[in-house]
Amino acid sequence: MLYANLGVNELGHLTVAGRDTVRLAKIYGTVLMLLDEMVIRNRCRTYRRAMEKAFPKGSMPLFASKALSFKRIYEIMQEESMGVDVVSCGELFTAYKAGFPMDKVYFHGNSKTDEDIRFAMDCGLGYFVCDNKEELLEIERVASARGIQQKVLLRLTPGIDPHTNEKISTGKVDSKFGAAIETGQAEELTLTAMGLSHVELVGFHCHIGSQIFEHTPFCDGAEMMLRFYAHMQKTHGCKATVLNLGGGMGVPYTEAQAPVDYEGNILRVGELLKVLCKELDVECPIILMEPGRSIVADAGVTLYRVNSTKSIPGFKNYVAVDGGMTDNPRYTLYGAEYTVLPASRMEEKRDFVCTVAGRCCESGDILQENVSLPKMERGDILAVLTTGAYNYSMASNYNRIPRPMVLMLGEQDDYVAIQRESFEDLIRNDV
Ligand code: LLP
């Protein structure tokens, strides 16, 4: 099967981390998102160890919590000695309430408000990853009023095409994010930052895109960033010591995609930086990386209950489930591929090729097409794999559908990490 934590038991049911998914669906109801805690922890460890090996002391991975944000995940990240990247005050607040150390939090975003900046400083935020001049000047103004020095990294666009979906590609020159190196705007922003007395410029950041399988875009991005870093040091006496290379390493969603060698990729970037540092005659900067998807995606499995099936003779077949674009909008948005398994009929012949449709009142609410399943019946359980990243975090209440429960499969016990939303939750803010 696609991942090592999946299996089939004597009842012909799909198991995740040794647990019978059909049983879990019965106990907790559907839609149910399962998260295998050990997969998450092990991936954190892979990143941490590889980065310790490849880069100078102080280098570490930050979990990009836009992929999955709730209190417990920040506790796990703290236990695994990770930093975190947040992209809104909502994520920041969640981390804060979970007791995550604020000096290991990096606040992203291309359009921060004055309130965002003040709120983050109230929380004692470690680092802003500053996107533009207006933001930089506002940080200076607030920091100065408070009599503090605020640590800042600058978001740059290195001009790399990562060969991924346009909507999740972020490092090209025409990106909405950051200041482009190629146009001289990155240098301008750096000089502005260096001239401010309450901003401490600690480093530079880039993120080239997401779901990237090759290592070359990362190496190219790292090289561009290091050359810029060295140039700022040599020509302007810039004292920055950090390069944050962003996230983006891919995860296989289907058998057709090859697994990514995370450690290998990191070591490759490390080797390249060593060579380049020698050539440029600079000390190797502290390296940060921001994996999101590759920390949590394959830890997630979503369970649905089948409500109906239909065959339209000469056209196509449908299986309709009790969730859909409200808990996973990624097929609707990106045409994202997923592996769908008949959790309650794993041993049966899969000769019913169908579209798995959601319950929302629109035709585009599809989870996947061309799925081969056995003939399913009302009450059967379907599993969609690799739903740990950008599913719950992108879930909505469209059609006033409550968001699912998130059940953590711990090393020993299962526990609820996010309660299922209730109808009362849905009307909480209605007046
Ligand atoms: N750092 C920054 C600044 C980012 O913008 C992102 C993702 C990451 C790190 C983490 O990237 P990852 O390791 O997860 O690839 N909703 C889309 C993905 C959008 C990614 C946005 N930025 C999806 O569902 O595919």
Side-chain angles (χ1 to χ4, degrees):
M1 276 211 268
L2 189 53
Y3 309 124
N5 67 340
L6 305 176
V8 178
N9 67 13
E10 62 290 350
L11 298 170
H13 296 168
L14 174 71
T15 61
V16 180
R19 276 77 154 190
D20 183 324
T21 53
V22 177
R23 189 170 161 270
L24 292 178
K26 200 176 228 166
I27 297 172
Y28 295 100
T30 50
V31 176
L32 180 65
M33 177 187 270
L34 308 176
L35 284 176
D36 184 340
E37 188 173 332
M38 287 319 289
V39 170
I40 298 175
R41 288 186 184 275
N42 286 333
R43 201 55 61 69
C44 291
R45 291 169 198 175
T46 299
Y47 266 95
R48 236 186 43 233
R49 286 186 196 135
M51 289 186 69
E52 273 165 20
K53 242 194 259 176
F55 306 126
K57 201 161 177 287
S59 300
M60 66 168 170
L62 319 173
F63 171 56
S65 62
K66 70 208 71 182
L68 186 62
S69 178
F70 57 93
K71 277 164 63 181
R72 177 67 186 142
I73 202 85
Y74 294 103
E75 290 171 2
I76 294 173
M77 292 305 142
Q78 186 179 356
E79 286 161 17
E80 294 301 330
S81 307
M82 303 277 287
V84 301
D85 135 8
V86 298
V87 74
S88 71
C89 283
E91 287 177 4
L92 178 65
F93 181 71
T94 312
Y96 181 80
K97 291 300 256 189
F100 193 87
M102 287 291 119
D103 60 345
K104 287 169 79 179
V105 179
Y106 293 71
F107 189 4
H108 281 271
N110 68 310
S111 189
K112 299 185 190 77
T113 64
D114 291 356
E115 291 74 28
D116 288 339
I117 291 167
R118 281 202 305 273
F119 181 82
M121 285 196 201
D122 288 345
C123 293
L125 172 81
Y127 305 84
F128 282 95
V129 181
C130 184
D131 188 275
N132 52 64
K133 189 169 172 187
E134 290 93 328
E135 180 189 338
L136 195 53
L137 296 180
E138 182 59 18
I139 293 171
E140 167 71 11
R141 202 185 63 73
V142 181
S144 151
R146 295 177 183 211
I148 59 164
Q149 284 277 115
Q150 179 61 54
K151 292 192 171 85
V152 159
L153 280 80
L154 299 180
R155 168 99 190 224
L156 311 182
T157 34
I160 302 291
D161 182 352
H163 310 295
T164 186
N165 187 318
E166 267 301 312
K167 289 184 192 162
I168 54 175
S169 164
T170 50
K172 294 199 271 180
V173 176
D174 62 356
S175 165
K176 78 165 179 171
F177 297 102
I181 294 179
E182 194 176 312
T183 58
Q185 286 159 310
E187 182 163 4
E188 233 173 80
L189 193 63
T190 304
L191 291 176
T192 306
M194 286 174 65
L196 300 175
S197 46
H198 293 84
V199 162
E200 181 188 343
L201 176 58
V202 299
F204 303 102
H205 169 278
C206 75
H207 169 75
I208 55 177
S210 200
Q211 188 62 346
I212 301 167
F213 283 86
E214 307 154 48
H215 68 271
T216 33
F218 295 107
C219 288
D220 294 350
E223 173 164 359
M224 285 293 288
M225 293 296 284
L226 187 74
R227 287 190 185 280
F228 178 81
Y229 170 90
H231 179 55
M232 291 304 102
Q233 201 174 88
K234 296 257 149 96
T235 51
H236 303 302
C238 179
K239 299 222 160 38
T241 54
V242 175
L243 280 189
N244 180 333
L245 301 178
M249 281 200 243
V251 173
Y253 283 70
T254 65
E255 302 273 2
Q257 293 168 321
V260 173
D261 177 6
Y262 303 109
E263 178 177 3
N265 283 357
I266 291 167
L267 296 180
R268 270 181 144 125
V269 174
E271 286 309 313
L272 174 75
L273 288 181
K274 263 182 215 140
V275 173
L276 286 170
C277 284
K278 216 175 236 164
E279 176 200 318
L280 297 166
D281 190 28
V282 289
E283 247 184 67
C284 191
I286 292 167
I287 301 295
L288 304 175
M289 286 183 163
E290 289 171 341
R293 190 191 312 270
S294 54
I295 299 290
V296 290
D298 48 345
V301 173
T302 305
L303 303 179
Y304 301 92
R305 199 169 293 271
V306 171
N307 282 330
S308 61
T309 65
K310 82 168 169 184
S311 299
I312 312 170
F315 292 89
K316 61 203 254 193
N317 301 321
Y318 282 98
V319 168
V321 297
D322 56 355
M325 67 187 284
T326 51
D327 60 83
N328 182 0
R330 296 192 69 257
Y331 185 79
T332 307
L333 273 175
Y334 317 117
E337 287 184 287
Y338 281 98
T339 300
V340 183
L341 296 176
S344 52
R345 296 177 186 266
M346 290 297 284
E347 310 280 34
E348 293 178 28
K349 195 157 168 245
R350 298 176 198 177
D351 53 4
F352 185 69
V353 178
C354 60
T355 293
V356 177
R359 65 180 302 181
C360 280
C361 210
E362 64 179 77
S363 307
D365 177 18
I366 298 291
L367 282 169
Q368 202 62 205
E369 292 187 274
N370 296 315
V371 180
S372 296
L373 295 173
K375 193 87 173 103
M376 304 296 274
E377 285 172 13
R378 185 173 172 89
D380 267 317
I381 303 298
L382 268 193
V384 177
L385 307 183
T386 336
T387 56
Y390 304 112
N391 276 220
Y392 197 90
S393 66
M394 293 174 77
S396 77
N397 290 130
Y398 182 45
N399 289 181
R400 284 246 145 159
I401 292 172
R403 279 175 294 184
M405 172 185 280
V406 175
L407 184 74
M408 194 69 89
L409 309 180
E411 196 168 19
Q412 257 102 48
D413 301 318
D414 307 336
Y415 58 93
V416 177
I418 309 180
Q419 292 289 1
R420 184 179 303 288
E421 257 176 345
S422 66
F423 296 135
E424 285 300 326
D425 291 331
L426 295 178
I427 60 167
R428 181 139 299 145
N429 296 323
D430 296 5
V431 280

